[in-house]
Amino acid sequence: MSVSAASHLSPSFPDRAAWGTAPKLRAWQQEAFDLYFRREPRDFLTVATPGAGKTTYALRIASELLSRGVIRAVTVVTPTEHLKRQWADAASRVGLGIDPEFKNSQGATSRDYTGVAITYAQVAMHPALHRARTEARKTLVIFDEIHHAGDAKSWGDGVREAFEPATRRLSLTGTPFRSDDSPIPFVTYVEDGDGTMRSASDYSYGYGPALRDGVVRPVIFLAYSGEMKWRTRAGDEIAATLGTPLTKDQLSQAWRAALDPKGDWIRQVIHAADRRLTEVRRGVPDAGGLIIASDHESARAYARHIRTVTGEGATIVLSDDPGASKKIKEFSVSQARWLVAVRMVSEGVDIPRLAVGVYATSTSTPLFFAQAVGRFVRARKRGEMASVFVPSVPVLMGLAAEMEEERDHVLGRSQPEDGLDDSLLERAQQERNQPDALGDELPFQTLEASATFDRVLFDGGEFGTAAAPGSPEEEDFIGLPGLLEPDQVASLLRRRQADQQAAKRRKGAPEPAPALAPHEQLAELRKELNGLVGAWNHRTGQPHGVIHAELRRSCGGPAIAQASAEQIKERIAMIRKWATQRR
């Protein structure tokens, strides 16, 4: 295996280096590589946005250390079985033999291999074995998505025991933040000045810089609201509009109704997403789409919807399917339009032709959302753009608006920040045969679920107004060209928005609704504000009283019971701003 071979590895292969970068390392990779060898560290943490090319960077370091004689073996630790094979395939392209089929029962691998790829779970099951292997030869350990080493105490303890004697340890992650206080092994924490400890990366490369460099694609989020109606266990029929202020229970049940394969909401969104995919394929002929489903039953039903819409079948990948890795690999090199997956197509799974997604799951932790969106940002050539269709619910709108926000892992925090609930993420990544519980786990029947185009989110801004599926207003955004630079995306979105607003003005304003009496107006405004406060509570975990107090500090005025209509409107505007701005 030669350093020369590794130096000619495409930054994210096969044949999808960002414009102007192949055959050498991307600028960030070279910068991080140079920093590593200036320091010659035993431990090094690299945080780089999904799609930036962490695999290439790590293999380049491994090949250099091998050529210098610093190490004699490489161990790659990954979250999933599929990623073991993906790392082995990548390593083989630079002449580095990695065994992805290594089992704990073997004890040792063939001398034909320079190293092995194993999972965090494997390490936790037999840390003494892996410690002995690490002690036997000077070893570089590459931790892929190192934050998983804190997913369970046994995982973290096992990793620490097994790889404490390693000659070098290179930790990689695209999403280092966690909500718990489980320290991540071999990661440095520094005091934050407020009694907490914050993880410190040695090199960081976020989505914002990667987007500016053309290393990742811009992502637009197309949000869909709609009218939902369902019957509760008690036999009550309830109706609500997704995308309007709702209580926590109403929101969870409306969201559940939207994702129900029996309703029209998901059918209409899949149809819109397929129209978007057709438009993207005009410029990117092999572009593919991915629906991330909550459970097996829904995944199969969504695939039937795709066949009805397109006349073509979809590739279905389920979490307990032994052939899942093979299906993903075959889909990644095919021309097929759609893949439907239950959760397992998340972090690290490499299908660079994915350009359109449907977020049809109730999982809403920042970790899972970032990992899911990361499947669509991997650029192959400059100008490619990704489109992700999402339900119009506050937590997802907030996460979409904060795409460029960078977080660290914080220890000693009194309560979870921003809903970073990793117990939910852990549950989300497990095998799921049954539908998600969205609020009411008791019998629930969707009666109606229709979709309405709500808006587009991009770079912290919102564009478009409510429109019916198939309308010219929706088509303005569904039909955006599939090849656009980030500044062109923003410019075109602003222009489409301005054109729609001008068209509405030309048509004339609708007849005004009858004026409300002052007490009726105040009651409506208080109801709207309380609904938004409830949504913000659901997203942040802050008590309602704390949120109201913060609104009063920001906007002034008395308590809500004494506030005027204008003061309540100001608070409504402020909390909406909180929900959409990048913090």
Side-chain angles (χ1 to χ4, degrees):
M1 197 274 303
S2 69
V3 176
S4 175
S7 68
H8 286 82
L9 180 65
S10 169
S12 60
F13 43 85
D15 302 324
R16 56 182 185 276
W19 177 81
T21 60
K24 59 187 179 182
L25 290 176
R26 290 170 173 158
W28 84 263
Q29 294 167 324
Q30 189 66 55
E31 186 176 53
F33 176 89
D34 292 343
L35 178 63
Y36 182 91
F37 283 100
R38 281 200 304 273
R39 294 184 180 177
E40 293 286 346
R42 188 179 184 199
D43 287 295
F44 196 88
L45 171 61
T46 300
V47 178
T49 188
K54 291 186 289 295
T55 303
T56 299
Y57 154 76
L59 291 174
R60 180 68 178 85
I61 286 179
S63 66
E64 185 69 23
L65 291 173
L66 285 164
S67 71
R68 295 185 184 188
V70 176
I71 60 169
R72 299 291 300 273
V74 177
T75 296
V76 181
V77 190
T78 77
T80 66
E81 291 288 329
H82 175 79
L83 290 178
K84 287 167 41 177
R85 298 179 184 89
Q86 190 167 286
W87 271 92
D89 289 345
S92 70
R93 295 176 184 274
V94 296
L96 178 59
I98 296 293
D99 180 7
E101 304 298 336
F102 177 80
K103 302 290 189 297
N104 287 351
S105 57
Q106 293 175 224
T109 188
S110 167
R111 295 179 61 183
D112 293 336
Y113 292 112
T114 306
V116 300
I118 53 181
T119 64
Y120 288 101
Q122 270 182 274
V123 176
M125 289 171 63
H126 203 333
L129 165 69
H130 297 286
R131 184 184 182 94
R133 290 186 56 259
T134 304
E135 289 175 329
R137 302 170 73 186
K138 293 189 295 184
T139 301
L140 164 69
V141 183
I142 299 173
F143 296 107
D144 187 18
E145 305 297 352
I146 182 63
H147 56 271
H148 280 282
D151 272 354
K153 192 174 188 300
S154 62
W155 284 24
D157 290 347
V159 164
R160 196 177 300 279
E161 179 184 347
F163 302 117
E164 189 279 328
T167 302
R168 295 286 178 92
R169 293 180 289 256
L170 177 61
S171 299
L172 310 173
T173 182
T175 50
F177 48 94
R178 301 180 55 81
S179 65
D180 58 24
D181 271 0
S182 300
I184 302 170
F186 311 123
V187 168
T188 300
Y189 291 85
V190 296
E191 191 169 351
D192 205 20
D194 59 358
T196 62
M197 302 292 288
R198 186 174 295 273
S199 63
S201 61
D202 296 284
Y203 187 89
S204 182
Y205 187 63
Y207 176 78
L211 184 61
R212 290 190 292 274
D213 292 346
V215 169
V216 294
R217 297 168 176 158
V219 181
I220 64 170
F221 294 92
L222 297 99
Y224 279 73
S225 58
E227 299 297 324
M228 310 297 154
K229 187 175 182 180
W230 62 92
R231 181 179 290 117
T232 67
R233 172 177 176 267
D236 298 327
E237 293 188 4
I238 301 176
T241 301
L242 197 66
T244 61
L246 300 172
T247 66
K248 181 178 180 179
D249 286 344
Q250 288 173 334
L251 175 63
S252 65
Q253 291 167 353
W255 192 350
R256 179 177 176 179
L259 300 182
D260 190 335
K262 301 182 185 70
D264 284 336
W265 188 94
I266 192 66
R267 291 192 187 96
Q268 291 167 328
V269 170
I270 288 174
H271 193 192
D274 188 70
R275 298 200 324 268
R276 177 67 189 143
L277 182 59
T278 296
E279 182 61 43
V280 171
R281 285 170 77 110
R282 297 183 197 279
V284 187
D286 69 338
L290 166 66
I291 299 177
I292 301 176
S294 290
D295 58 85
H296 294 186
E297 182 181 347
S298 295
R300 295 187 181 97
Y302 296 161
R304 290 193 292 271
H305 291 335
I306 289 171
R307 180 174 288 280
T308 300
V309 169
T310 68
E312 300 178 17
T315 299
I316 304 176
V317 177
L318 305 177
S319 52
D320 59 353
D321 183 354
S325 291
K326 182 180 179 182
K327 287 183 179 180
I328 291 172
K329 191 170 184 178
E330 289 174 350
F331 181 85
S332 69
V333 297
S334 74
Q335 298 284 320
R337 291 176 72 89
W338 282 99
L339 173 71
V340 184
V342 179
R343 305 171 188 281
M344 70 169 298
V345 181
S346 57
E347 62 190 345
V349 173
D350 199 14
I351 311 175
R353 70 185 189 90
L354 289 177
V356 176
V358 178
Y359 195 85
T361 172
S362 61
T363 307
S364 58
T365 68
L367 274 168
F368 188 88
F369 187 83
Q371 292 162 5
V373 174
R375 300 317 97 217
F376 303 95
V377 303
R378 298 170 184 263
R380 297 179 297 179
K381 63 180 180 180
R382 204 166 184 100
E384 290 183 341
M385 179 173 66
S387 307
V388 180
F389 289 70
V390 296
S392 187
V393 297
V395 63
L396 297 185
M397 299 300 93
L399 293 173
E402 296 165 2
M403 269 286 289
E404 296 184 27
E405 182 176 344
E406 296 178 25
R407 294 185 176 95
D408 300 311
H409 183 211
V410 179
L411 303 180
R413 186 168 43 202
S414 60
Q415 62 181 18
E417 293 180 359
D418 300 331
L420 300 181
D421 188 343
D422 292 284
S423 65
L424 291 180
L425 177 65
E426 184 178 354
R427 182 169 65 94
Q429 298 287 28
Q430 294 171 352
E431 177 184 331
R432 299 288 288 169
N433 296 307
Q434 300 300 323
D436 286 342
L438 267 171
D440 182 8
E441 298 183 28
L442 297 169
F444 173 103
Q445 182 183 2
T446 301
L447 301 177
E448 296 177 17
S450 62
T452 302
F453 173 76
D454 187 7
R455 53 191 145 151
V456 167
L457 292 90
F458 176 71
D459 194 28
E462 298 185 3
F463 307 88
T465 55
S471 66
E473 291 79 11
E474 181 201 42
E475 199 60 37
D476 279 346
F477 297 101
I478 294 290
L480 289 171
L483 288 171
L484 288 173
E485 294 289 335
D487 57 340
Q488 293 175 319
V489 176
S491 176
L492 190 52
L493 287 171
R494 286 193 294 268
R495 189 158 66 247
R496 296 277 166 96
Q497 168 118 326
D499 290 345
Q500 288 189 5
Q501 290 172 339
K504 286 188 176 182
R505 287 195 295 270
R506 286 194 297 271
K507 290 179 181 178
E511 287 293 321
L516 295 175
H519 69 278
E520 292 174 321
Q521 183 186 22
L522 277 171
E524 288 296 318
L525 289 171
R526 288 169 184 159
K527 180 180 178 181
E528 181 178 358
L529 179 58
N530 285 327
L532 290 168
V533 167
W536 191 250
N537 160 264
H538 178 62
R539 173 178 165 186
T540 66
Q542 289 180 299
H544 289 232
V546 172
I547 300 169
H548 278 293
E550 181 60 30
L551 286 169
R552 287 181 63 188
R553 280 194 294 270
S554 300
C555 303
I560 187 172
Q562 291 81 42
S564 68
E566 288 305 315
Q567 288 169 329
I568 297 176
K569 287 177 183 177
E570 188 177 355
R571 294 176 197 181
I572 288 171
M574 177 60 68
I575 198 169
R576 288 189 183 279
K577 182 179 178 182
W578 291 351
T580 58
Q581 70 182 175
R582 289 170 296 172
R583 294 172 298 142

